[in-house]
Amino acid sequence: MRRDARPADRNGSNRMADGSTFVQAFIILFREGLEALLVIAALAAFLRRANAAERIAPVYMGALAAVVASVVMAWVFATFYDGNHSDLFEAGVMLAAAVLLFYMSGWMFLRQDPKAWQADLNRLAERALGAGTVLSLAGIAFLAVFREGAETILFVHALAKSGSGFDASLLSGLAAAALALVAMFVAMQWLALRLPLRPMFIVTSAFLFFMGLRMVGEAFQELQEQALIPFTTEGVPAFVSDWGLSNGSWEALGTQLVILAVAVAAALVSLTRKGAKESREGRPVSAAS
């Protein structure tokens, strides 16, 4: 009985280990890749909805360049820093990404009027989606992938070293996560093509702004881990960190609230000016009729 039980126990343990490796590999890639994919999918969906699909290539090229840069950075961390990433470097990448996300969020919000796009779409697309904006889109895609890429590679490498290497369970976990991310990407593109233009612009603008706020919070956490910024948590509502709005400190939350207040004020000023302009342009038309 015992002799028969030992191989069975061993096989059961192997299956449990394989299952654990599969789950860990899936979670690593899916968790680390989700935010980057959502940003890239939102940008691609926006460009398709704005009839500027030919300008999606720089977004994908930025993401691909980030993958290559992530492999290089992972090698640097593994070779010279014992696999430990640099908090200051990561904070800098996050803050740069946040600036670009805020810029694109405001850019989309200001161009939400369907009439402005449909009046002379080709001319407007050439001007509004010019070289500077395209570079910003590519930069956002690069930073969104790069901020997670090197860390993901290091996590997967550590998982392989602690287990049986890049075996079938690890590779299948990565493949399953990749398929799940691709399915989410396709679903977002399908939905975007069926949304009216104005809601598409507004939703994408709000999403990018929210992601920018999250980047600021995560950058603060990296700086606080290096004791460069104080970390005060007393009295911070629990939902702030539970919902991923901030890292749970007043320093990060206060900065995010200031950014939000400035953005709301700028949006109100823009809408007020737009309303005043439309009313001025409307008066001669009504008088003539």
Side-chain angles (χ1 to χ4, degrees):
M1 293 284 293
R2 289 180 185 174
R3 231 172 311 172
D4 294 336
R6 285 174 187 167
D9 291 342
R10 194 178 301 116
N11 291 335
S13 298
N14 289 339
R15 284 194 297 271
M16 289 180 63
D18 290 344
S20 175
T21 301
F22 174 90
V23 172
Q24 290 180 70
F26 179 92
I27 291 175
I28 288 172
L29 182 56
F30 188 79
R31 180 192 62 197
E32 301 294 335
L34 182 59
E35 285 191 11
L37 176 127
L38 290 176
V39 171
I40 294 171
L43 294 177
F46 151 72
L47 289 170
R48 283 196 176 92
R49 193 63 187 85
N51 289 345
E54 72 281 358
R55 298 177 182 269
I56 296 177
V59 175
Y60 294 154
M61 290 175 63
L64 181 61
V67 173
V68 176
S70 296
V71 173
V72 174
M73 190 55 62
W75 177 83
V76 171
F77 288 151
T79 304
F80 300 103
Y81 298 96
D82 296 325
N84 297 316
H85 70 280
S86 169
D87 290 335
L88 294 179
F89 178 80
E90 192 165 342
V93 171
M94 289 177 183
L95 289 175
V99 169
L100 284 177
L101 287 168
F102 291 143
Y103 167 76
M104 284 306 304
S105 173
W107 185 90
M108 291 180 188
F109 182 81
L110 293 175
R111 287 162 177 79
Q112 62 178 273
D113 186 4
K115 295 178 182 178
W117 284 93
Q118 295 170 355
D120 191 357
L121 189 57
N122 292 331
R123 177 184 58 80
L124 186 60
E126 284 296 324
R127 186 178 66 187
L129 287 173
T133 302
V134 170
L135 287 175
S136 297
L137 293 170
I140 291 173
F142 178 89
L143 292 173
V145 174
F146 184 62
R147 64 176 290 265
E148 301 290 358
E151 199 169 65
T152 300
I153 294 171
L154 290 174
F155 285 158
V156 172
H157 181 65
L159 179 61
K161 286 181 63 177
S162 63
S164 303
F166 287 89
D167 58 3
S169 59
L170 188 149
L171 293 176
S172 58
L174 295 177
L179 288 174
L181 292 172
V182 169
M184 292 187 63
F185 181 89
V186 173
M188 287 187 67
Q189 306 310 299
W190 178 87
L191 179 62
L193 293 175
R194 284 154 180 79
L195 286 175
L197 193 63
R198 186 188 293 272
M200 178 65 197
F201 272 50
I202 293 176
V203 169
T204 306
S205 172
F207 170 75
L208 294 182
F209 185 82
F210 174 75
M211 293 300 295
L213 288 180
R214 286 199 61 181
M215 295 280 188
V216 170
E218 292 174 5
F220 265 71
Q221 181 170 335
E222 299 293 340
L223 295 173
Q224 287 165 336
E225 288 176 359
Q226 296 297 311
L228 296 175
I229 296 178
F231 188 79
T232 308
T233 60
E234 185 177 356
V236 178
F239 73 86
V240 170
S241 55
D242 292 342
W243 293 359
L245 301 177
S246 180
N247 69 341
S249 71
W250 279 116
E251 291 78 11
L253 181 59
T255 302
Q256 290 169 320
L257 289 175
V258 169
I259 294 172
L260 178 61
V262 171
V264 170
L268 291 175
V269 169
S270 174
L271 292 175
T272 302
R273 289 179 176 175
K274 180 181 177 182
K277 181 180 178 181
E278 289 179 350
S279 63
R280 286 196 305 269
E281 293 175 349
R283 273 195 292 267
V285 174
S286 59
S289 60

